[in-house]
Amino acid sequence: MNLINDKLSIVKVGYIFISQIMLICFLLLAYSPVFSNLFPPLSTEMYAFLMLLIVINVISLIFYTLFPIRINYELIRGEKLNLQKEKLILFFVLTGFLITFVYSKSIPIISIVLLNDSSYVYKEFGIPFFHVILLTFTQYYTINMWIRYLLNENKHLLKYIIILSSLPLVIYNRGSFLLLIVSMLVSYILIKKIKLKIIIKVFVGALIVSYLFGVSGNVRTNSLYKVEENPFKSSVIMNIGKPDAKISNSIDYIKPFYWSYFYIVSPLGNYQLALDGTIAHRHYFELMEKVNFNLYIIPDFISKRIVGDELYYSYMKIPLISPTITAATSFSLSYYADGWFGVCITVLAMYLLFFLSSMIKDPVNKLVAISLVSTIILFSFFSNMLIFSGLSFQLLYCFLFGSKYLKKYI
């Protein structure tokens, strides 16, 4: 028995809860009218909720310290790499994207960057339903490969990972690419020993990604708003965010960072608007006797089929500090639909998914699932990742292929 236990390694999930606590503290410090005069003042209810969420994360941290998640990494290291299977899966994925490009009559990154096409809308891109399956499987399998690479360090996997992880960029879906990188980073933290030089590299990498995110945002919005200027000036996002004059008049080459700041902090402002709204606003959410779980905890491509596209998008119209900033945390819609009861359901769903992910038997799929749910939790203050099919639907593959019956096929 001791020999078996000696082979088990602790999955370092404590970092996830610590990161969430640090994020809440950052939001409290960074939420200021100096950075945007669109932000409504935070209410006593909001402060109470944020403090309660910190307590929940502290309790989770203590629980998983006392009862850690353990995985036998030797089982993963000992698996023989089947390159033929990897090539076959890569072939089907690339063929799926090729079919998508033919169906859509465009390759988004070429259309946007080279042809300056402003008509592209990523939510309308691709073959209905098929694109959801294709993109989510690609994301899932990239993380699956990445985890096996971290434990096997087989360089053959690395080239496949690079190809697969570049596909969200090819379709110019910055959100999916960012979520993929974060999920891969989370899985690295769960498995590897964290050293100071790694923290420095991650910090530098985050700065680079943040800057590129801003520059690409400028390229996209300049094209959308017909603004002709260099991609560093950031006049569109400055007009949207309405920061203090000292920030809006700062050096152009620093301004792209404002994209990341505004995307991180502004959802809290939208959430505060939901709290400021009256109960009368909830008359839009009476489809299921005022309990609308399908709207705020079930992936959107399923909910759309339950209520229909037209009703679904009308239900999504929650209060916003700006019509161009639609990110509103994981809690805004649930509060707008069912009040604090809805918020409690959302929080419970996230942490219950984390617990269920830790119960998956297959070690690789368990790590993929934990990484994905951790990303859902970490992004809960940016957008509702429970209903975002591009992320949450990937969990289905983890539970499906994590079963002992289907594991041999993936």
Side-chain angles (χ1 to χ4, degrees), residues 282-292 295 315:
R282 297 178 198 147
H283 74 271
Y284 295 108
F285 299 89
E286 295 181 348
L287 179 68
M288 298 174 66
E289 299 178 354
K290 298 183 180 180
V291 181
N292 310 283
L295 291 172
Y315 290 152

Side-chain angles (χ1 to χ4, degrees), residues 46-220:
M46 177 66 83
Y47 281 113
F49 170 73
L50 295 176
M51 292 302 106
L52 179 61
L53 208 53
I54 288 176
V55 171
I56 291 173
N57 279 280
V58 170
I59 292 173
S60 299
L61 176 61
I62 295 172
F63 177 82
Y64 286 105
T65 301
L66 296 175
F67 306 99
I69 301 170
R70 298 178 183 271
I71 288 179
N72 188 346
Y73 291 150
E74 296 304 317
L75 289 176
I76 305 173
R77 293 190 178 100
E79 286 185 345
K80 295 182 67 175
L81 181 63
N82 187 342
L83 285 178
Q84 289 301 114
K85 185 191 74 172
E86 311 295 351
K87 290 178 181 178
L88 187 62
I89 292 175
L90 179 63
F91 170 78
F92 281 117
V93 168
L94 294 178
T95 301
F97 275 93
L98 180 60
I99 293 171
T100 300
F101 297 147
V102 172
Y103 173 86
S104 303
K105 299 179 182 178
S106 72
I107 301 176
I109 194 168
I110 295 177
S111 299
I112 294 171
V113 177
L114 298 182
L115 303 180
N116 202 30
D117 181 8
S118 61
S119 63
Y120 171 71
V121 179
Y122 77 89
K123 290 183 179 180
E124 299 175 0
F125 176 77
I127 305 170
F129 186 74
F130 174 76
H131 185 64
V132 174
I133 300 297
L134 177 64
L135 182 59
T136 53
F137 177 79
T138 302
Q139 302 277 88
Y140 154 78
Y141 200 67
T142 305
I143 302 168
N144 184 299
M145 269 192 175
W146 171 246
I147 287 171
R148 286 184 284 138
Y149 169 74
L150 290 177
L151 293 170
N152 290 323
E153 297 185 355
N154 190 307
K155 293 183 179 179
H156 290 290
L157 287 176
L158 190 58
K159 61 183 180 182
Y160 297 142
I161 292 168
I162 293 172
I163 294 172
L164 290 172
S165 60
S166 68
L167 292 174
L169 294 177
V170 175
I171 62 173
Y172 214 82
N173 193 328
R174 295 178 299 153
S176 291
F177 178 73
L178 179 62
L179 292 172
L180 174 62
I181 296 301
V182 171
S183 297
M184 292 171 70
L185 176 61
V186 169
S187 60
Y188 183 95
I189 292 171
L190 295 177
I191 296 171
K192 293 290 188 177
K193 184 177 181 180
I194 306 302
K195 300 179 181 178
L196 179 60
K197 65 178 183 179
I198 297 297
I199 296 175
I200 294 173
K201 286 181 180 179
V202 169
F203 179 74
V204 173
L207 288 178
I208 293 172
V209 170
S210 175
Y211 195 77
L212 293 177
F213 180 79
V215 173
S216 64
N218 288 336
V219 171
R220 182 76 183 99

